[in-house]
Every structure is written in C-alpha cells, then in structure tokens.
Amino acid sequence: MPAIFGVPGGGSSLDLIAAAKARGIPFHLSRTEAGAGIMALTMAELTQRPVGVLVTRGPGVSAAANGLANASLERAPVVLVADAMGEAERGFATHQWFDQAAMAAPLTRAQLCAAAMGPGEAAGRALSAALGAPRGPAYLELTGEAARAAAADPAPWRAPVLPVPSADEVARARAMLAGARRPAIIAGLEAATGERAAWVRRLAEALHAPVLVTYKAKGVLPDAHPLFGGVFTGGEAEAPILRDADLIITAGADPVEFIPQRWRFAAPVLELATAAPALGYAAPALRLLGEWAAVDLAPARAAWPDGAVARHRAAWLALLENGPSGNGGISPSAIVRLAQGAARESGADPRAAVDAGAHMFPCTSFWQAERPGDLLISNGLATMGHALPAAIAAAIHDPARGSVAFTGDGGLLMALGELATACAMRLKLVVVVFNDATLSLIDIKKGGRDLPGRALDWPEVDFAQVMRGLGGAAWRAGNEPELGAALRAAFADGGPALVDARCDPSSYGRQIAALRG
Ligand SMILES: Cc1ncc(C[n+]2csc(CCOP(=O)(O)OP(=O)(O)O)c2C)c(N)n1
C-alpha cells in the first residue's frame, strides 16, 4: 500500500498509524475526512494500487461519505478503515454511534468487520473487493482491541485476474474492424494506465482512427497527437466526428463518465470493458469483457478523408473557446492557457487537478495532457472540493512534477482546510482560483426563475490573504498581464502557492449550451 490518509480518532486509528510506520507505509494527516478520501483515490489512480483511509467512528465515518462515494463512482480501490465500538463499550453504543456499515453499504463494494472474522481475513477480503472489476472502495470496521490483538497481516489475497476475451469474440471484433471505413475510438477511465493507453494508441495509429477521450482519460492519446479528436462527455460539441464514424469502439469507457443524455449515434458499437456496465447507453453490437488490452485486434487501415480529424478537432475547440475577457475579469480559457504557458516557461510539468464547476469546461478542453494521469478530476461523482486534495496527493506522489489545482471559489471554500495541509507539507503545488464570487455552473442554469439575492453568490473572498495566513505564497490578478506575472512567480516559487484570478463568467452559458446541445 503506497500510503494511508486520514483524520485519526482514539481507537484503532492510532494502532494503525503505528503499524503503518513499522511497515514503512507513510501516513498523511489531512484536515478533513472528505479530503483524505479524495487524496486516497487520487493516489490509487496514479499508482494503480489500493490506498488506505483511516477515520474515527461516528462523525469520522459520516464525514468520509463523500470520499467513499467519490471512490465508488471514480472506480478507485480505496480501503476505508473505521474505528468501531469495542466489546467493553457495546452496552453504551449510542454516543457517536450509528450503523456505520449500513451507511457505507451503497457506497462500497464490501463491508467487513474485523471483530467477526479477524483483522487479517477482513483486510484480505477488503483488498480483493476493492480490486475487483469495476474497482471501488471497501469498508473495514476495526476496533482498537482487534487491531492490537493480532499480528494483522492480511490473509493471503491477490488482485482478481481478469478473463481474456475468447478467440471467437476476438475474431468477430476483427471482422467488424475490417469492415469499417471510418472507425472512431472513445477511450475511458479504464484506459488511463500506461499499458492500456499504449494499446489504444497502437490501435488508433494502425487504424488511422481518431480517439476521443473522456475527462478521466485525458492524456491516453496526447492532445497534440494528430489523431486526437477531442473530449467525449456524451454531449453535442464532440458529436459531429462520431456521426461521421461508421464504427464506434469504446475502450474502457464506463457509463458513469457520460452525461445523462440519450446516445446520439447510429454507428454500431464495439465495447471493450473489464466488466459489463450496469447501465447501457448504447446496446453494443459486440462486447469484449475482461483484459481487453491483452487482445490483438490486428486492424485494417481505415479511410477517413484527409484532414477530417483536424477539421473536427478545430471545430470542437472553437465551440469551447470562452472568447476575450470582458470588463468583469479574465477569460476562463485564457486562465488555463496562461497557466500552462507559465508552467512550461519555468520548466515545470505539473499534473493538473480540476474541480467541479463551470471552469472545468475550459480546463478539460485547453489543458494539454500528454500521458494518462496528467489531468485529475472527479467525473462520475463530479464533486466540488476535489481539485485541491487531488493536487495534494499528486504532489506527494511525484514531488518533482508537483501539481496545479484549478478550482472555482465555491469549490475551494469547501476544501479550504486542505490548503493548510498543502502548506504544512511544503508541497510543490499551485492553486489557481477562478474567482467569480458565484456558483457559476448553477447560475447559468437558473433560467427565468426569480431567486432571492445571494442565493447563488457571495461577497468576493480574498484567497491570497487566506493563503498567506497559512504560510503559502499568493498573488491576486485582475487582468491577463497581472495573471501571467503571478503564474510565472507561483511556478518559480516551487512551494505551495496560490493565484487568485478574477474570472469573467459571462461566456459560460454559451459554452455549456454548445457543449451539451
Ligand atoms: C459537493 C458538491 N456540492 C454541490 C455540487 C453542485 N455544483 C456543481 S458545480 C457548482 C458550482 C461550483 O461553483 P464554483 O466552485 O465557484 O465554480 P464555478 O461554477 O463558478 O466555476 C455546484 C454548486 C457539487 N457538484 N458538489
């Protein structure tokens, strides 16, 4: 296990922290349980290994619910270890106590109780459940007594081995590819590993087929690759290229990644996935289940007209553009471009973490990713408060690269405690706040409703002052030249830094209409 994150209580947490130290597993103290969950799922995504979260009983578990839901819908193997009532306390099980396993049930793949089966057995089962297909969190209840009683090495366990699609299925898939003249690939979250991304790239290049990536699969094919077709959410902006396709191959795309709208495409679908998805958007003509990247599809070369992919990509990017800044602040797409430019200028290659909100549209479109894991986002749950803890985990995982967190002011206010975590750990991390003093993604949906004042906005917060108070470096920027200078200084700083960018939200409404149709 690469790390454990959490906020300890008095019971099993302290024994676990001591045991982790004895085994050389780092424990990172977060400021919130929700933040710990997001840090753990991010570390799990980056390492492809299970990561632990420890919390106290009662409020520790209820506060961790968002992290569990996030790990569940982002398909990340996280094991939450919660303290529980020991034998001697059972008769008093009211104070700080509720049925924790029942709360965790809809959010986790398994709920294990160490007192019932022994901590080794419970840990082994939790790890196996978390790594099953699709991956996800497991819940493990551990009393202090149980933690101290046993030499609690996990019972023998191993990651479930995925089946390989049958020779007959592979032959049928090859026949579909051979008959297609304009195949297109949608790469999803399962493709965001080094090996599967390389497989997708080989297939795309052999076929000469465009690749669209979901938010979670940014970097599976680099944005700068000539076959990069855009970002797939299930909306309208990227639909033209798929309407021109005569075969759609979904490579590890999970329906949890798509917006809840009808499937818009008539072309047959060849679905590659580790497990049968619970919800079908499109009934696939053929489904290969298991370790799809182990299959050799020996493709024939397709025949997209010359320049077609580049034209589609340019049209998609033009639709997403926020346009020039208005008087009210800086254009959101300019914020993203200036940030990447400043990072490159200072020789930095940070991973980018993106929050939920209107600002995520320019971030996911204009941040150029080269490898899987270059862009980190909560998409299945799409929770606010994700970017900062995700950026913290990325900077811990890879201190040389560090990270940048793109967040709305609303999302940052939800994760503010974790700014203290980043500052205390002196992480190489730059927080860029799209500060528009509004819940913009909700504001653009309000239509003609007559809402009371301050229903969706608040007085502007000076995040630079907050950051300085926590010991980090910080700048405020009201226009593009100020922002460029602030970003260059922030990336050159090399420690925790924050740039509070006054953002012009006026183009978001048009942008989301173009995106979703
Ligand atoms: C925890 C959580 N609460 C509420 C929402 C619903 N929601 C999605 S975006 C959004 C507004 C985000 O505002 P902000 O962080 O300022 O970003 P902006 O939209 O202004 O870019 C809200 C309330 C959510 N996704 N997650």
Side-chain angles (χ1 to χ4, degrees):
M1 183 168 279
I4 299 176
F5 297 87
V7 181
S12 59
S13 313
L14 300 176
D15 299 299
L16 264 180
I17 296 171
K21 183 178 179 208
R23 285 168 171 73
I25 301 173
F27 169 69
H28 302 292
L29 175 64
S30 63
R31 301 302 180 268
T32 62
E33 286 82 356
I38 293 165
M39 291 173 204
L41 90 83
T42 304
M43 185 72 86
E45 285 175 349
L46 291 175
T47 60
Q48 295 295 311
R49 292 168 64 198
V51 176
V53 174
L54 63 83
V55 296
T56 190
R57 67 176 77 148
V61 176
S62 48
N66 202 42
L68 286 178
N70 209 2
S72 175
L73 298 190
E74 308 307 319
R75 315 303 192 208
V78 166
V79 177
L80 179 97
V81 184
D83 187 34
M85 287 284 177
E87 197 62 48
E89 299 161 305
R90 292 259 159 82
F92 313 101
T94 50
H95 178 69
Q96 287 199 312
W97 187 250
F98 55 86
D99 188 343
Q100 300 180 162
M103 191 211 85
L107 307 176
T108 50
R109 304 283 183 271
Q111 305 84 45
L112 288 313
C113 177
M117 64 186 74
E121 176 71 25
R125 287 203 207 175
L127 290 164
S128 300
L131 288 164
R135 293 176 168 199
Y139 171 80
L140 197 169
E141 207 159 274
L142 181 69
T143 63
E145 292 157 2
R148 286 185 292 275
D153 279 325
W157 66 279
R158 61 191 172 94
V161 179
L162 291 172
V164 176
S166 71
D168 174 54
E169 288 166 329
V170 174
R172 287 166 61 204
R174 283 183 182 156
M176 283 178 86
L177 286 172
R181 293 188 52 77
R182 292 180 313 283
I185 301 170
I186 299 173
L189 61 84
E190 287 179 5
T193 70
E195 277 177 22
R196 291 195 186 133
W199 186 93
V200 169
R201 185 175 179 149
R202 277 197 305 277
L203 178 68
E205 288 174 348
L207 274 176
H208 199 69
V211 177
L212 288 93
V213 296
T214 63
Y215 287 162
K216 302 280 290 185
K218 273 280 280 194
V220 165
L221 194 76
D223 287 50
H225 192 287
L227 290 171
F228 179 74
V231 171
F232 182 82
T233 62
E236 186 52 35
E238 70 272 19
I241 194 169
L242 292 166
R243 287 207 186 94
D244 279 0
D246 61 359
L247 173 67
I248 297 175
I249 304 157
T250 62
D254 187 312
V256 78
E257 303 184 84
F258 306 163
I259 57 173
Q261 287 190 4
R262 71 190 164 77
W263 188 254
R264 298 158 199 260
F265 314 108
V269 174
L270 168 58
E271 184 172 65
L272 314 177
T274 59
L279 199 65
Y281 274 70
L286 179 63
R287 183 178 265 165
L288 302 194
L289 295 181
E291 187 41 271
W292 47 268
V295 163
D296 178 7
L297 287 182
R301 199 165 170 86
W304 281 86
D306 278 352
V309 178
R311 274 195 302 281
H312 276 299
R313 185 175 55 238
W316 167 73
L317 280 171
L319 268 183
L320 267 294
E321 192 59 62
N322 288 99
S325 325
N327 292 334
I330 310 166
S331 155
S333 46
I335 296 177
V336 181
R337 289 202 174 95
L338 284 168
Q340 192 146 38
R344 285 182 174 153
E345 226 175 275
S346 70
D349 178 25
R351 287 191 168 84
V354 179
D355 218 68
H359 63 280
M360 85 188 170
F361 303 129
C363 293
T364 50
S365 315
F366 299 117
W367 183 264
Q368 301 281 298
E370 282 175 40
R371 296 139 289 191
D374 279 2
L375 187 136
L376 306 162
I377 189 166
S378 166
N379 182 24
L381 186 65
T383 182
M384 292 165 72
H386 183 272
L388 176 56
I392 288 174
I396 293 172
H397 170 65
D398 198 340
R401 282 187 71 180
S403 57
V404 53
F406 290 117
T407 175
D409 47 327
L412 182 56
L413 286 167
M414 288 190 183
L416 211 53
E418 304 306 345
L419 261 189
T421 310
C423 289
M425 296 179 82
R426 303 304 309 158
L427 295 173
K428 183 173 168 180
L429 181 157
V430 177
V431 180
V432 178
V433 193
F434 290 67
N435 195 350
D436 52 17
T438 306
L439 296 170
S440 284
L441 186 57
I442 311 305
D443 191 65
I444 57 183
K445 295 177 183 171
K446 72 174 185 280
R449 291 181 188 83
D450 180 22
L451 301 180
R454 291 287 185 227
L456 301 175
D457 60 16
W458 44 69
E460 190 176 288
V461 174
D462 181 347
F463 289 101
Q465 279 213 49
V466 176
M467 185 64 167
R468 288 187 202 113
L470 293 168
W475 295 262
R476 295 192 95 185
N479 54 45
E480 289 191 26
E482 280 175 17
L483 180 61
L487 287 164
R488 283 189 293 279
F491 283 110
D493 185 82
L498 180 146
V499 176
D500 183 337
R502 180 168 296 151
C503 163
D504 172 11
S506 61
S507 55
Y508 284 143
R510 186 203 54 72
Q511 191 178 44
I512 193 173
L515 251 172
R516 300 208 165 156

